[in-house]
Amino acid sequence: MKTINVDLGKRSYKILVGAGIIEVLGRYLRALGAGDTACVVTNAKVRRFCGRAVSAALKKAGCGVYFHNIPDSELGKSWDCAAGIVNSLAERAGKGRVFVVSAGGGVAGDVSGFAASVYKRGVPFIQIPTTLLAQVDSAIGGKNGVDLQTGKNLAGTFYQPRIVISDINFLLSLDDRQINSGIGEVIKYGLIAEPGLLDFLEDNREAVLKRDKKALEFIVSRCSALKAAYVRRDEYDTGEIRMALNFGHTFGHALEAAGKFRRYNHGEAVGWGISCALRVSEKLGILEDFSVRRRAEALLRAYHLPVKVRGVDPLSLLAAFNKDKKFIGSMTRMVLLEGAGSIKVERNIPLCLIKEVLKEGKSGRL
């Protein structure tokens, strides 16, 4: 088992990575004093696969357990779902100290963390990510939120978990699309921070797709350490340090919203967004080495992530792009790449250039 520390003073916590490590949850919960009753937020599919193991680990710590199911899609990140979790916590008021456990992917983590942060102004929150994307990225750092009809993550809070348990065994049930989706975020880390991750993905594609535990543990632990370092330096995303993690996400979030959060999942959208962000970097003269995009797009294709998209209304795509939460009024802000491991936050990117890149990334007029 590997342990990564997220050093945030009183809000510090550990990320544990390894195969079969859900069994240690009880030991850590007793030390944390999280509470008496766990509300496990998950979906029906995840509950069938890992619900028994999660429940057993919680009960071993002497906790009562109940499950709260949400939809198995981005639709789970809604006001209604967040309110449902909060109401379920309130129904147990006076029956001991309640805390929230997320067992699932980024959707479960975001909406349950949001609910935990607002109920009684905050109750303890535990992350048990069960997708590759959540283990390498979204379960770490305390960003929680819900989607609005106009865009993704437009309402949210910063609220750190007490611990993150990334059990590699939970990844073994994922289908190829879910594994590939997580790789979209890994490619992001390889471009903005650690090019060696790109080497690893190129050299170990077969092992990753075969769910080799050692390969997956390396990816999860390395990305977790990188994410922890960004969060430690810029917990509340007030500077431009943590904003680097949004590389590829401005275009990606627009694609998700334009597809009504159904056509492309988050990792696929980020993969496409990476390609678009690299094109913008080239066109503005920020990225002079064109081989970087060629290599990134080859990796995206190798893991079946889109470089071109279809079936999305062009006008909806442009409208969603303009509603990105990182923009300030009408001023665009985007994370771009200067070179391997070096980013630049660029402002006021011409709309004509954005349209040009969107056109290159799909068929149809803008």
Side-chain angles (χ1 to χ4, degrees):
M1 182 176 72
K2 291 182 172 60
T3 302
I4 297 105
N5 294 312
V6 184
D7 299 318
L8 298 171
K10 293 181 179 179
R11 294 175 305 285
S12 296
Y13 56 95
K14 297 181 183 298
I15 306 164
L16 308 180
V17 182
I21 63 170
I22 189 63
E23 296 179 357
V24 308
L25 175 60
R27 184 206 325 160
Y28 282 91
L29 279 184
R30 285 191 291 271
L32 291 169
D36 308 306
T37 301
C39 168
V40 182
V41 179
T42 188
N43 62 60
K45 183 177 179 181
V46 172
R47 184 176 176 180
R48 283 194 299 271
F49 180 73
C50 71
R52 184 175 298 178
V54 171
S55 180
L58 289 164
K59 289 178 179 177
K60 191 174 181 180
C63 299
V65 181
Y66 75 96
F67 286 85
H68 184 93
N69 279 13
I70 60 172
D72 181 19
S73 70
E74 189 74 20
L75 299 177
K77 280 179 60 174
S78 68
W79 281 111
D80 287 345
C81 286
I85 299 168
V86 171
N87 286 328
S88 77
L89 296 172
E91 288 170 2
R92 284 158 178 81
K95 299 179 181 179
R97 296 172 302 147
V98 68
F99 63 101
V100 177
V101 177
S102 168
V107 169
D110 279 6
V111 72
S112 57
F114 180 81
S117 72
V118 299
Y119 177 63
K120 291 188 174 180
R121 296 186 176 87
V123 295
F125 173 48
I126 310 296
Q127 281 272 23
I128 305 177
T130 63
T131 67
L132 181 59
L133 192 150
Q135 289 191 4
V136 301
D137 190 76
S138 65
I140 305 160
K143 277 189 176 182
N144 313 286
V146 295
D147 301 333
L148 305 183
Q149 289 184 347
T150 51
K152 186 179 171 75
N153 294 330
L154 291 181
T157 60
F158 285 94
Y159 192 67
Q160 300 295 343
R162 296 292 183 88
I163 194 169
V164 179
I165 307 286
S166 292
D167 192 327
I168 299 301
N169 285 352
F170 291 154
L171 304 182
L172 304 183
S173 69
L174 301 180
D175 59 29
D176 288 346
R177 187 182 184 190
Q178 289 173 307
I179 291 290
N180 291 332
S181 178
I183 296 299
E185 291 283 1
V186 182
I187 293 172
K188 175 197 77 176
Y189 280 112
L191 288 167
I192 69 170
E194 189 169 311
L197 277 170
L198 303 180
D199 297 332
F200 186 87
L201 291 177
E202 290 168 340
D203 297 340
N204 296 275
R205 178 179 176 275
E206 185 175 351
V208 172
L209 295 181
K210 285 186 175 180
R211 321 298 194 270
D212 178 82
K213 291 183 183 181
K214 289 184 178 180
L216 293 174
E217 184 175 324
F218 172 81
I219 287 172
V220 172
S221 59
R222 194 67 210 110
C223 289
S224 296
L226 290 169
K227 180 74 175 279
Y230 279 104
V231 173
R232 181 178 65 250
R233 295 167 61 202
D234 187 13
E235 180 182 2
Y236 296 109
D237 210 358
T238 54
E240 294 185 351
I241 295 172
R242 189 168 176 175
M243 193 176 175
L245 298 172
N246 291 318
F247 180 68
H249 285 59
T250 300
F251 284 102
H253 285 169
L255 179 60
E256 287 182 272
K260 301 185 185 302
F261 302 107
R262 292 185 178 92
R263 186 167 185 87
Y264 292 98
N265 64 34
H266 181 67
E268 291 166 343
V270 167
W272 178 76
I274 286 171
S275 175
C276 291
L278 289 172
R279 289 176 184 272
V280 174
S281 302
E282 291 175 350
K283 292 177 186 295
L284 290 175
I286 293 171
L287 177 63
E288 298 180 351
D289 183 357
F290 286 17
S291 69
V292 174
R293 178 168 62 86
R294 289 196 295 270
R295 184 186 189 190
E297 290 184 344
L299 258 178
L300 292 169
R301 293 188 181 98
Y303 285 91
H304 304 288
L305 294 167
V307 174
K308 300 276 187 178
V309 296
R310 57 175 63 90
V312 178
D313 177 63
L315 292 179
S316 296
L317 188 57
L318 186 59
F321 178 89
N322 286 327
K323 292 175 181 175
D324 188 274
K325 71 179 188 301
K326 294 178 290 299
F327 293 175
I328 301 174
S330 60
M331 184 184 77
T332 59
R333 287 192 304 166
M334 191 182 302
V335 180
L336 301 177
L337 200 73
E338 291 183 312
S342 177
I343 65 99
K344 180 181 181 182
V345 178
E346 187 73 6
R347 293 166 172 80
N348 291 321
I349 300 167
L351 181 60
C352 61
L353 190 150
I354 299 298
K355 287 184 176 181
E356 183 181 342
V357 169
L358 290 174
K359 186 174 182 179
E360 290 174 356
K362 73 175 300 298
S363 60
R365 297 177 61 187
L366 289 173

